[in-house]
Amino acid sequence: MAIEPVRWDELKALESDVLKTRLFSLLQDLAVEIQAGEPDDPDILGAVPRLADLISERPDAASYSQLLSSLARSVGLWNYIDTSHSDTSDAFVAEAVTVEKLGGITLHKEQIAALNVLLAGKNLILSAPTSFGKSILIDALLLSGRYSRVAIVLPTIALLDEFRRRLVARFGSDFDILMHHSEAPSKAKVIFLGTQERLINREDLGTLDLVVVDEFYKLDPARRDDRSVTLNAAVYQLLRRARQFFFLGPNIESVQIASNTRWRFEFLRTRFSTVAVDTFDLKGVADKDARLVEEVYKEDNWPALVFVSSPDKANQLAADLADTDTVVGMGSELATWIDLNYGGRWELSKAVASGVGVHHGRIPRALASRFVKLFNDRMLPILICTSTLIEGVNTAAKAVLIYDKTINREQYDFFTFSNIRGRAGRLGQHHVGKVFLFHSPPGHEDVDVNPPLFGDLDSAPDEFVVHIAQEEASDAISDRVSGLIDRLGLTWEEVKRLSSIGIDTIEAVKDKTKDALGEQAQLSWTGHPRYDEFRAVCEIICSVRRPREFGVTSANQLAMYLNKLRQSTTMRAFFSWHSTSYRGELDKLDNVFKFLRACEYSLPELFGCVELFVTKAGERADYSLFTAEMPRWFRPEVLKVLEEQGVPIQIAERFGGSNETVATLTRKLRDLAMANDPRLSRLECAWILDALPA
């Protein structure tokens, strides 16, 4: 292509007259390539943000703004049309696709194409790059007035919170936006937000006008996501009651379906990207550690996102950067808050004080959300992350430094690499992102998604087929389910309810529970159990699952953590106890947050499984009170809800009364923050107001 040899960095450095001559020649070449090339060719599209970036840095090139607008119109990047420096026809196009009620966002050509399909009432699966602007399409659909009952399935609670904030700000006056089973709709219009685990058993969904599934590639078990089968089951249940669906995801070549699948859809695959990316190959650098330090501390790379393979690696890198004694950003106040509220021994606080944040599965959600906010605002200009941040959470990273080439000790594939790389650059902030590669990227390969949901149901996993409605099940499926029922000694409904923990695990729990009852284990209890009673359940759970899955090393430690959690009067007191009593390696201290996450879903499910088999054996058992309190960490549910919405429980628990609701405590906290109440620090006031938009 004619634009391939362009060295944009050299172009920016040219003398004014030479620059203008080169720009005119470049625009002529681009006009030719637009006529001959593919409409979503990344090289052609990338010239638009690069030119916009150049013109913003070189005021003497401002006279080319009108030509840039014409180029943007030609390729469909209408959001790059500068209506104050464009001819009438270009400005008309931009104004026609600008949505004032969404903050004046201007849509691009491929967004309009997707919306046309959806507003025609068709189902759509969209595969587009990270910077495409997929979430804006959801907002545009809600704004259309055609949808009153909507369910949105998201892979992580962090992404739920991001969606919640945006939807509350834009649609809170028209829609109830519900994330928890305890919340009931009060308005005619409602949006159900949830992960697959939260939505699969929700009984108040009714008939849905629209189901949205973000990161839909996770439906394919080949992606090795252990929640895939539950996602298929949840989406199956949602689609049965939906009039229309919209699936979104990045970099998918095709979706495999069986010839007899009941659900039909349009598939739109596009390479259309709104930002350009410069790639820097550093795999040959001898001292990669030193080069990483050099690049992350360059202000021109901020905000800089560093991808590493695991939480342990992220913690170590954060500690190493803190040890350089280089201080950037404004993290000292937050670091002091972390010390006061998490026990004082967490090494993360030193990194935060130096301007380095960390984002992985062992970071408290409210704190992780705060790190992202401060990162986007350049107050924490360096953020070290694992794959948890790659799955949909939006950042304003200018540079992405891909430091490792593995995830959980396995080399990532081209699909994952593309998703990580796609985090560089952001429309309206960084027209041109940077990607630094410290290892060779994986070879290009097309990615096909093969969801059991759309395949031959007779060959789908057991954990999925138990969710197929009996009236829709084939004879083969009915026979399989009957076999499972006989093998497990459970009803169809019971197997379905427990399916997320896995059929093999259910069977193992059955056998271990039988053995434990034979040994007179204290499994027959109700209400609030004694320590030995729930420790007996922990013994069974840790015999069928590895204790480290729950952030502990043994069944005894699991029982001790549960006991201390329910005994502690505040979460701040719990963290203080943990920090004081912890005797392991300091970089593993944050495993306590892995334990708290296990309390939210997997542990209650496993406790419930044990309870079921105890009652099947004829013993009296009712663990429901204990398992209902565990997901909310034995606190009032309102505190846990606000933690997920970005307000640390250590703040909310200081002000929550006995009869508080989410609405009343939200209003109280917001009012206190607005008034700069002396019981709240300046940092806490800002935190509350950012987390709880009016």
Side-chain angles (χ1 to χ4, degrees):
M1 275 188 58
I3 63 172
E4 284 184 356
V6 175
R7 291 291 303 270
W8 294 91
D9 53 342
E10 294 179 1
L11 199 61
K12 291 179 183 179
L14 293 176
E15 294 291 333
S16 182
D17 290 342
V18 179
L19 172 63
K20 292 176 181 178
T21 301
R22 288 287 303 277
L23 281 178
F24 186 79
S25 176
L26 176 59
L27 287 164
Q28 283 184 314
D29 292 341
L30 284 168
V32 174
E33 294 296 337
I34 289 169
Q35 300 300 317
E38 297 180 17
D40 64 349
D41 186 320
D43 288 326
I44 296 176
L45 291 172
V48 174
R50 291 182 187 282
L51 284 167
D53 185 57
L54 186 151
I55 290 172
S56 69
E57 292 187 20
R58 290 291 300 267
D60 52 335
S63 59
Y64 285 85
S65 294
Q66 183 171 335
L67 289 176
L68 172 61
S69 293
S70 296
L71 176 65
R73 177 193 175 188
S74 298
V75 300
L77 279 170
W78 301 325
N79 36 13
Y80 276 95
I81 295 175
D82 182 353
T83 55
S84 62
H85 296 90
S86 61
D87 65 26
T88 304
S89 59
D90 293 339
F92 178 79
V93 170
E95 290 166 1
V97 293
T98 296
V99 188
E100 294 298 340
K101 291 185 179 180
L102 293 181
I105 290 173
T106 301
L107 304 177
H108 57 66
K109 178 181 70 174
E110 295 291 274
Q111 287 173 322
I112 294 295
L115 279 174
N116 285 340
V117 173
L118 290 161
L119 293 176
K122 298 177 182 179
N123 300 321
L124 177 65
I125 296 183
L126 172 65
S127 169
T130 304
S131 62
F132 180 88
K134 295 183 285 290
S135 59
I136 293 301
L137 299 179
I138 300 171
D139 294 6
L141 292 175
L142 295 173
L143 190 63
S144 72
R146 300 187 180 201
Y147 306 96
S148 296
R149 298 183 68 84
V150 178
I152 302 177
V153 188
L154 300 164
T156 65
I157 291 176
L159 194 53
L160 283 182
D161 180 50
E162 179 181 299
F163 263 68
R164 177 196 63 82
R165 295 186 200 199
R166 191 182 78 245
L167 295 179
V168 165
R170 288 179 173 169
F171 304 105
S173 60
D174 298 320
F175 285 86
D176 278 325
I177 298 165
L178 309 182
M179 287 176 52
H180 300 86
H181 283 245
S182 59
E183 298 174 302
S186 60
K187 297 176 182 175
K189 292 184 175 184
V190 59
I191 300 169
F192 298 97
L193 277 178
T195 59
Q196 54 263 45
E197 291 84 3
R198 292 191 175 184
L199 290 174
I200 192 169
N201 293 317
R202 218 178 156 124
E203 297 179 352
D204 58 348
L205 295 169
T207 299
L208 296 167
D209 298 312
L210 179 67
V211 168
V212 178
V213 180
D214 197 17
E215 309 292 329
F216 76 90
Y217 62 87
K218 289 177 173 290
L219 287 163
D220 190 343
R223 298 306 310 168
R224 287 180 281 187
D225 185 328
D226 56 10
R227 300 165 63 210
S228 170
V229 176
T230 304
L231 177 59
N232 276 271
V235 174
Y236 167 79
Q237 297 289 359
L238 293 170
L239 294 193
R240 290 184 65 227
R241 57 179 76 236
R243 295 189 173 98
Q244 187 179 6
F245 66 80
F246 177 29
F247 291 5
L248 310 87
N251 307 313
I252 303 299
E253 186 69 24
S254 67
V255 180
Q256 303 299 312
I257 62 172
S259 58
N260 61 346
T261 186
R262 63 184 287 188
W263 289 294
R264 299 294 172 180
F265 54 84
E266 300 281 322
F267 179 62
L268 175 58
R269 176 187 174 275
T270 178
R271 298 176 294 173
F272 211 85
S273 178
T274 60
V275 298
V277 175
D278 287 332
T279 301
F280 301 88
D281 184 354
L282 304 181
K283 65 178 181 292
V285 172
D287 190 341
K288 292 184 172 61
D289 293 345
R291 185 59 180 271
L292 175 71
V293 172
E294 177 186 341
E295 295 297 342
V296 296
Y297 284 117
K298 286 181 180 177
E299 191 169 350
D300 189 51
N301 290 334
W302 293 348
L305 191 66
V306 184
F307 173 79
V308 296
S309 57
S310 68
D312 288 344
K313 187 69 175 288
N315 292 346
Q316 184 58 58
L317 181 55
D320 292 344
L321 291 177
D323 286 342
T324 66
D325 294 326
T326 304
V327 178
V328 295
M330 293 180 284
S332 61
E333 191 176 1
L334 179 56
T336 300
W337 189 93
I338 291 171
D339 281 337
L340 288 173
N341 288 277
Y342 288 106
R345 294 180 65 203
W346 195 8
E347 293 181 324
L348 176 66
S349 64
K350 183 179 178 182
V352 172
S354 71
V356 178
V358 175
H359 195 292
H360 56 62
R362 301 199 316 247
I363 301 292
R365 289 196 183 91
L367 190 58
S369 176
R370 194 63 184 164
F371 285 163
V372 172
K373 173 69 169 63
L374 297 178
F375 174 75
N376 289 341
D377 292 342
R378 291 171 62 106
M379 295 176 71
L380 280 181
I382 302 166
L383 186 61
I384 304 169
C385 75
T386 62
S387 58
T388 58
L389 197 62
I390 306 305
E391 297 173 347
V393 177
N394 287 316
T395 65
K398 181 176 183 180
V400 173
L401 298 94
I402 306 179
Y403 193 55
D404 286 342
K405 59 179 178 180
T406 61
I407 296 177
N408 296 327
R409 300 181 181 178
E410 293 187 12
Q411 292 201 5
Y412 52 70
D413 58 12
F414 183 78
F415 174 78
T416 302
F417 166 75
S418 298
N419 288 347
I420 299 169
R421 183 179 184 271
R423 295 287 155 190
R426 186 171 179 83
L427 180 65
Q429 292 177 266
H430 311 295
H431 300 312
V432 181
K434 300 179 182 181
V435 173
F436 296 86
L437 301 179
F438 288 80
H439 302 274
S440 297
H444 179 88
E445 57 183 352
D446 291 336
V447 177
D448 301 323
V449 172
N450 190 5
L453 172 72
F454 293 148
D456 179 5
L457 297 183
D458 288 349
S459 62
D462 289 340
E463 290 83 357
F464 174 48
V465 298
V466 298
H467 289 271
I468 296 174
Q470 295 186 32
E471 65 271 16
E472 297 176 3
S474 66
D475 291 342
I477 288 175
S478 296
D479 289 345
R480 282 175 63 190
V481 175
S482 295
L484 290 173
I485 290 171
D486 293 341
R487 190 171 110 208
L488 299 173
L490 303 175
T491 66
W492 190 325
E493 283 299 317
E494 289 167 341
V495 176
K496 184 165 68 172
R497 180 168 61 83
L498 293 172
S499 62
S500 63
I501 66 176
I503 299 300
D504 290 344
T505 298
I506 296 172
E507 189 166 25
V509 170
K510 175 188 176 184
D511 294 341
K512 294 293 184 180
T513 302
K514 180 181 178 181
D515 293 344
L517 287 170
E519 296 170 1
Q520 305 302 308
Q522 298 182 51
L523 298 173
S524 179
W525 50 267
T526 63
H528 294 286
R530 299 189 306 273
Y531 180 84
D532 287 345
E533 290 174 333
F534 67 78
R535 186 176 63 82
V537 180
C538 292
E539 292 284 356
I540 292 174
I541 290 172
C542 290
S543 70
V544 300
R545 292 279 185 87
R546 294 172 298 179
R548 67 183 184 186
E549 292 182 31
F550 315 118
V552 297
T553 58
S554 67
N556 283 337
Q557 189 179 50
L558 177 59
M560 179 179 66
Y561 274 31
L562 285 169
N563 196 45
K564 287 296 183 180
L565 183 61
R566 71 170 182 168
Q567 287 180 343
S568 297
T569 55
T570 64
M571 285 303 296
R572 184 170 174 174
F574 171 74
F575 289 124
S576 179
W577 162 81
H578 176 262
S579 183
T580 302
S581 62
Y582 182 77
R583 295 294 179 267
E585 299 173 14
L586 274 182
D587 63 350
K588 300 292 196 304
L589 182 140
D590 59 3
N591 270 319
V592 67
F593 303 114
K594 193 173 183 179
F595 158 72
L596 290 172
R597 294 215 178 174
C599 287
E600 295 171 351
Y601 186 75
S602 60
L603 280 173
E605 290 292 293
L606 289 162
F607 264 79
C609 187
V610 174
E611 175 200 356
L612 186 57
F613 285 117
V614 172
T615 59
K616 292 287 183 181
E619 299 289 334
R620 183 167 177 264
D622 183 357
Y623 302 172
S624 60
L625 182 60
F626 192 69
T627 56
E629 292 179 336
M630 197 188 306
R632 58 179 189 258
W633 303 340
F634 303 96
R635 317 285 131 190
E637 185 172 12
V638 59
L639 301 180
K640 186 63 170 57
V641 170
L642 289 182
E643 166 83 18
E644 291 185 2
Q645 294 185 0
V647 179
I649 202 166
Q650 297 97 317
I651 296 176
E653 67 187 356
R654 286 154 39 198
F655 301 96
S658 57
N659 297 315
E660 294 282 7
T661 65
V662 173
T664 60
L665 187 53
T666 294
R667 188 161 50 249
K668 179 189 291 186
L669 289 172
R670 194 185 295 126
D671 289 346
L672 291 170
M674 288 287 290
N676 292 311
D677 189 280
R679 290 170 293 177
L680 292 167
S681 68
R682 181 184 61 180
L683 174 145
E684 290 172 331
C685 288
W687 201 332
I688 289 169
L689 294 175
D690 286 336
L692 304 174

